[in-house]
């Protein structure tokens, strides 16, 4: 039987086995939240030609010299954009439209007065005013988005505007989630499935008895396989035994609390993480170990996907030396209040918590009044 | 023609017309990110009976008195859980399983030694050790999750464990997204669709010319309708004119920059927001106005869905009085560096930014060195 390993050792083991998935082309409109497989460069100047920055009338700035409240300049309104616009004419444009030939500026529509087929201009306007010049958004060859970028909604508009309707994004890793055994593992399995999706994976979910588990393990062809439950040390009817029979067990147990029965190994080149069945332990072991694998495969940072706050600790947090501990906290008014310090088994502590503090292996905890880093369970705060 | 309104007036207008959608029952396993329509109470004590907190052997604590390294206590291992366990017996349990009758504690498997059909116990163990007592997770009648909770992965496990596989969540609002006109609106339309989904809405997307727009508006039956592009003031071939012909225009223009042509109104009791076509203006107007409606309908907070950081401003930010301005910033090492302060038209400023600062109506900007609130475009930082 292998001995437990430290959390940093588990991280190294994960990192050695997980690189971003290869890229696949994907319509950018559906790619928000996906990870760019390579940098995105602009193939052209964008805009290619000057475009209107506002709704208004394109015209020649030279013609407006001397215009004023007591000396309005009337310009004949042209309908079409095709032909050359003359100095005594103006052509209606909407923001984003190219400037017609013969014009070099746009007068905002609200600063004009429409009178029959003419507009009146009441002030001079500078060349280039209210115009987006060529290349202002991007120059040909510019890196617009870096590799590894998690695409935002605004990136969608940028990429479409650049004329590249598809982008190469990391393929989402297919993650097998096998609930090994019982009611507890079922509850944890649904949770882990949601966590895998949060981290960019595609879930292939199964429930299996001990016998079914062995055949699922033997046939593993996922990018990552997570087994939930039956990770207990020393029992002989558990997932680790099944894993050792058809693959390799790399570590029995990781020094984290909760989650110390987490087991690492592989079958057919598929990394396998056996997570504890109890939900609180499954949650912490997922976040600290299995989730790191999912995130890295998905092209994301392996780090915890939670926002961070630095907060003052209201009460003491005690922790055992030699293992990484999770202490759930409630947050209010700049303070973090530990929940149920002695209880690392009850899921409701995580449900009631706003976030958690990590107590490293070499620490026995934190004194009240000190500042700690809190990982926030919710995205926003 | 109606005059522009202030951003607070636009917020009031939105808030008066948007309440959380009614609830619908939904399998909890697929409900992560959805919003609870009412509070969730536990219908029973959970666990209902004492359960094992670890994998190990359930036994009677009284029998272990006097056990020691030099005085191991052998207990016969029982297979089944059904019958009463005698003091000289132990019954294997996995974490989460009920304690068999006659037992009151669990000895962790790694602290025992298995020898034939017996285990050896090397120390006394207290009653209740490694046991989760009844009601520890929740008492009957406890509010486990409050109304309005955005369901987290861990909530899934909690709700399943409580025996309630479905939950009542706010129906997702159906949001019509109509791109009014041209290439720019198409790019903005894809972005706005992604933003609506981020905020909990279901997108019903269309592209329409000016004529098509009028008939879409006239037949509006969405929970919210967003029209993108052709919001320009004073033109006669635009969405606001179409809106005024088949419904009501409440405000032509909102004092935000960019996005000042944003128009509010309604048709057939459907609130309508006409967003500017240029993507940067569409982004800001969505976040500050239309998105507030989506988020409130979805049962979420109307506030901006971005994480917040307090950061020191590297350079001056100047802004016009009388309108709410968006200043994009890059963030590094606790500092916020304004991007292209004078440019509120180029989408690439938002793509390059890490977040943005809001300059309120009554402010002319911020001096360098002061601390400002930065809304972070990415969820994590």
């Amino acid at each position: 039987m292998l001995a437990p390993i430290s959390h940093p050792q588990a991280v190294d083991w994960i990192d050695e086995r997980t690189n971003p998935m290869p890229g696949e082309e994907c319509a950018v409109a559906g790619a928000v939240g996906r990870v760019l497989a390579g940098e995105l460069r602009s193939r052209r100047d964008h805009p290619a030609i000057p475009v209107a920055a506002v709704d208004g009338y394109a015209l020649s700035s030279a013609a407006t010299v001397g215009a004023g409240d007591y000396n309005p300049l009337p310009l004949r309104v042209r309908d079409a954009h095709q032909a050359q616009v003359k100095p005594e004419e103006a052509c209606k444009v909407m923001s984003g439209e190219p400037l017609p030939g013969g014009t070099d500026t746009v007068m905002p529509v609200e600063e004009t007065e429409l009178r029959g087929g003419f507009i009146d201009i009441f002030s001079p306007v500078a060349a280039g005013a209210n115009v987006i010049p060529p290349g202002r958004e991007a120059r040909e060859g510019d890196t617009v988005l870096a590799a590894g970028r998690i695409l935002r909604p605004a990136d969608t508009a940028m990429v479409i505007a650049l004329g590249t309707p598809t982008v190469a994004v990391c393929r989402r890793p297919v993650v097998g989630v096998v609930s090994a055994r019982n009611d507890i593992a079922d509850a944890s399995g649904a949770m882990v499935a949601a966590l895998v999706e949060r981290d960019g994976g595609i879930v292939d979910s199964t429930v299996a008895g001990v016998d079914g588990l062995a055949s699922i393990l033997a046939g593993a062809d996922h990018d990552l396989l997570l087994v939930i439950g039956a990770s207990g040390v020393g029992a002989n009817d558990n997932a680790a035994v099944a894993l050792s029979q058809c693959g390799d067990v790399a570590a029995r147990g990781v020094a984290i609390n909760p989650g110390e029965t987490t087991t690492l190994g592989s079958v057919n080149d598929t990394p396998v993480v056996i997570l504890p069945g109890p939900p609180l332990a499954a949650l912490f072991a997922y976040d600290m170990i299995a989730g790191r694998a999912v995130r890295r495969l998905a092209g994301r940072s392996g780090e915890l996907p939670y926002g961070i706050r630095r907060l003052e600790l209201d009460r003491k947090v005690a922790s055992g030396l030699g293992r990484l501990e999770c202490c759930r906290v409630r947050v209010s008014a700049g303070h973090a209040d530990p929940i149920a310090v002695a209880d690392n088994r009850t899921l409701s502590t995580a449900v009631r918590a706003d976030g958690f503090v990590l107590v490293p292996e070499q620490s026995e905890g934190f004194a009240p009044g000190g500042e700690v880093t809190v990982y926030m369970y919710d995205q926003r705060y």
Side-chain angles (χ1 to χ4, degrees), chain A residues 250-296:
Chain A
R252 286 288 269 135
V254 180
I256 60 174
N257 182 26
E260 59 275 358
T261 60
T262 301
T263 292
L264 305 175
S266 55
V267 183
N268 311 336
D269 291 332
T270 296
V272 178
V273 181
I274 305 176
L275 296 169
L280 185 70
L283 172 63
F284 190 56
Y286 175 87
D287 273 345
M288 299 309 296
I289 299 170
R292 185 176 180 94
V294 177
R295 295 186 289 271
R296 285 176 53 89

Side-chain angles (χ1 to χ4, degrees), chain A residues 1 46 60 102 108 121 146 170 175 204 234 306 317 319 347 355:
Chain A
M1 194 57 68
H46 174 62
S60 162
I121 302 289
C170 295
V175 180
D204 178 19
Y306 298 115
V317 170
S319 167
L347 179 63

Side-chain angles (χ1 to χ4, degrees), chain A residues 116-127:
Chain A
F118 287 80
I119 52 162
D120 278 339
I121 302 289
F122 301 96
S123 60
V125 58

Side-chain angles (χ1 to χ4, degrees), chain A residues 18-370:
Chain A
T18 48
N19 286 311
M21 304 291 297
E24 62 181 358
E25 286 292 316
C26 178
V28 69
V32 169
R34 301 289 297 271
V35 180
L36 269 194
E39 65 177 7
L40 188 107
R41 286 172 176 271
S42 183
R43 295 186 207 147
R44 59 181 195 203
D45 284 0
H46 174 62
I49 52 172
V51 298
V54 297
D55 295 347
Y57 293 91
L59 45 84
S60 162
S61 59
T64 66
V65 175
D69 281 346
Y70 299 101
N71 183 28
L73 170 71
L75 297 174
R76 185 153 39 85
V77 176
R78 290 270 306 264
D79 269 351
H81 302 165
Q82 290 80 354
Q84 194 75 3
V85 175
K86 303 202 184 85
E88 67 272 19
E89 295 176 332
C91 184
K92 192 166 166 204
V93 289
M94 304 200 76
S95 50
E97 286 184 336
L99 253 55
T103 70
D104 61 1
T105 188
V106 178
M107 181 64 86
V109 70
E110 61 270 27
E111 295 178 23
T112 65
E113 216 159 82
L114 188 62
R115 210 167 29 80
F118 287 80
I119 52 162
D120 278 339
I121 302 289
F122 301 96
S123 60
V125 58
N130 303 312
V131 171
I132 300 180
R136 168 63 61 87
E137 292 279 18
R139 293 262 172 215
E140 182 183 342
D142 277 358
T143 297
V144 177
L145 297 170
R149 169 86 161 200
I150 299 178
L151 287 169
R152 302 177 192 159
D155 298 344
T156 311
M158 188 75 194
V159 173
I160 291 175
L162 289 173
T164 47
T166 68
V167 286
V169 289
C170 295
R171 189 159 74 68
R172 296 175 66 191
V174 177
V175 180
V177 175
V178 187
S179 302
R181 191 175 44 105
N182 52 25
D183 289 351
I184 277 232
D186 282 358
S188 294
M191 175 184 71
V192 169
L195 291 164
V196 168
E197 284 181 358
R198 175 197 71 185
D199 287 345
I202 295 174
V203 173
D204 178 19
S205 180
T206 343
V207 177
V210 174
D211 299 336
L213 179 59
S215 72
I216 288 172
L217 278 170
D221 63 349
H222 301 92
D223 299 312
L224 174 69
L225 185 61
L226 307 182
V227 179
I228 297 152
S231 68
V233 186
N236 57 14
D237 56 351
N238 63 33
V241 172
L243 177 59
S244 69
Q245 283 161 358
C246 58
D248 293 307
V249 174
R252 286 288 269 135
V254 180
I256 60 174
N257 182 26
E260 59 275 358
T261 60
T262 301
T263 292
L264 305 175
S266 55
V267 183
N268 311 336
D269 291 332
T270 296
V272 178
V273 181
I274 305 176
L275 296 169
L280 185 70
L283 172 63
F284 190 56
Y286 175 87
D287 273 345
M288 299 309 296
I289 299 170
R292 185 176 180 94
V294 177
R295 295 186 289 271
R296 285 176 53 89
L297 288 166
R300 305 186 184 193
S301 157
E303 301 304 308
L304 286 169
Y306 298 115
I308 286 168
R309 290 183 74 174
R310 295 285 297 168
L311 295 168
E312 188 182 321
L313 198 60
D314 275 354
R315 286 185 291 155
K316 170 183 163 180
V317 170
S319 167
L321 272 180
R323 58 190 188 178
L324 177 70
E325 291 218 32
C326 172
C327 173
R328 274 85 58 221
V329 298
R330 299 199 74 153
V331 168
S332 59
H335 288 250
D337 186 18
I339 297 180
V341 175
D343 179 358
N344 252 338
R345 292 160 181 170
T346 313
L347 179 63
S348 59
T349 57
V351 170
R352 283 180 358 243
D354 298 304
F356 60 94
V357 172
L358 293 178
V359 189
E361 289 79 353
Q362 65 279 17
S363 165
E364 292 186 86
F366 303 115

